[in-house]
Structures are given as structure tokens and as C-alpha cells.
Amino acid sequence: MRLFVGIEFPERIVAALEAVQAELRGHSQRGRFKRRENFHLTLKFLGEVPAADVALLTPPLTAIAAAEAPFALGLGRLGQFGSGSPIRTVWAAVAGDLERLQRLQGKVEQALAPFGFPAEGRPWRPHVTLAQDVALAPGAPPWSAYSVDGTPFTVRECALILSEERDRRRVYTPLARFSLKG
Ligand code: 2AM
């Protein structure tokens, strides 16, 4: 099973992401635009995990979440990964209590390393993917010109999420949610 640990968004944030994604689409010739139900913030991508191992992952994730208090995050400016054309990934950054977010991510990374998911060598760059393989239209504005609703929301849980290809569509299904209770 292809799995990752991530943060899901309340409807208001999904709507804000959808709005800025629509702006991006208006300035693009083509691209693969993520469906609204697939917007999320990845804390740790696990890749292929044997189904039998899933039960091993939930206790450490439950414990980490239980020790962290809810915190505020909002959406930040747009940005990109890749400097070529088409652009590999266009994303929205996250803003708010990034220290707490980084700490949660670091703990998830540390706790899962013994299960065969080594920590990434490079720094984690929190982002919400809006679209991939984006060819911008001539005259498209700089990222700073896009309007992103940065009203914060409270992160109260993270989730272990299954990623599947169904009917040639990527479908994400939360398998377990872990409450921040600290
Ligand atoms: P992305 O948003 O930048 O595409 C599920 O695939 C999630 O895990 C996505 O949010 C994806 O990031 C992230 N991820 C991180 N590393 C990945 C990898 N090597 N392959 C696929 N997804 C990865």
C-alpha cells in the first residue's frame, strides 16, 4: 500500500486553495491540476508499505500526536519546484506556527525511521501541491501577484493516508487519524 502521513484541511482552506488554483489555471496553457479532494500537506511520504505493517505504524503516530498541542496554520504565497518549462510543481506555502509544524514533522520522521522509512537527507519544505507539469501562458503574473486567503485554521490532527490509483485517478483515503492532545 502506498502511504503517507499528512494534514487534511477544513473546507474553508480547501475552498481557498481551489480559488487560487483557479487563478493559476487562468494563467496556464496546460497542467495537471490537483482535484480539490486531494489537497493536503504531506508530513512524511512512506511509499509502499506491506498491509501487515500498517498496524505497527499507528501506535507511534498516536503517541506523537497525543504529546503535541493543536496549532495554527494558514496558507502562504505560491511557489514552484523546478525551473524548467513545464514547471514540475506549483504549490502554496504554509504560514503560521511553522515551528510547531516543523517539530511535529521532525517527530513523525524520527519515530518512523526505525520502521524502515529513513529521514530525508534534504530539509523538509512544507507545501501544498496545486498542479504539476504547468505550462504558464505568456504574460502570466509572478507568484507574488496571486491572492491567497491566509486566514489561519487550527490543526487538530494528522492522518495516515492511503494513496491509490482508481480509474486512472489518484484517490487518497485516511486510514487512521491522530488527535493532537498535548
Ligand atoms: P507532492 O505534494 O509534492 O506531490 C502523496 O503522494 C504525497 O506525498 C504528495 O503530497 C507528495 O508530494 C508526497 N511525496 C513526497 N515524496 C514523494 C515521492 N517520492 N513520490 C510520491 N509522492 C511523494
Side-chain angles (χ1 to χ4, degrees):
M1 312 167 87
R2 191 181 175 92
L3 300 180
F4 65 96
V5 179
I7 291 173
E8 303 164 283
F9 299 124
E11 171 55 31
R12 182 172 61 74
I13 299 296
V14 172
L17 287 162
E18 202 176 22
V20 73
Q21 187 194 49
E23 237 181 284
L24 172 68
R25 201 190 286 264
H27 292 298
S28 303
Q29 290 175 324
R30 61 192 156 81
R32 292 189 290 121
F33 292 83
K34 234 176 170 52
R35 288 179 297 125
R36 75 189 314 279
E37 55 271 37
N38 285 355
F39 291 138
H40 65 271
L41 172 60
T42 300
L43 296 174
K44 175 74 181 165
F45 178 71
L46 303 180
E48 283 301 320
V49 178
D53 288 0
V54 173
L56 300 176
L57 304 179
T58 53
L61 292 170
T62 303
I64 289 165
E68 292 290 321
F71 59 94
L73 279 188
L75 298 176
R77 64 176 188 89
L78 298 201
Q80 69 185 77
F81 290 146
S83 51
S85 181
I87 300 166
R88 183 157 44 88
T89 304
V90 179
W91 40 258
V94 289
D97 204 339
L98 297 179
E99 225 167 276
R100 301 278 296 285
L101 175 65
Q102 288 279 355
R103 190 171 72 191
L104 176 63
Q105 194 277 338
K107 285 187 170 182
V108 168
E109 184 119 54
Q110 266 179 11
L112 298 185
F115 295 92
F117 309 104
E120 304 282 337
R122 52 189 176 179
W124 180 60
R125 296 183 62 184
H127 65 276
V128 184
T129 296
L130 297 175
Q132 286 161 319
D133 302 324
V134 176
L136 292 175
W143 299 133
S144 58
Y146 285 78
S147 39
V148 184
D149 178 356
T151 316
F153 69 101
T154 305
V155 179
R156 298 186 188 281
E157 59 186 18
C158 59
L160 182 63
I161 301 173
L162 170 67
S163 167
E164 295 173 294
E165 189 89 11
R166 272 196 228 151
D167 299 330
R168 287 192 284 154
R169 283 187 151 192
R170 185 67 33 200
V171 178
Y172 297 139
T173 311
L175 299 181
R177 292 193 171 99
F178 310 98
S179 299
L180 308 185
K181 292 182 188 164

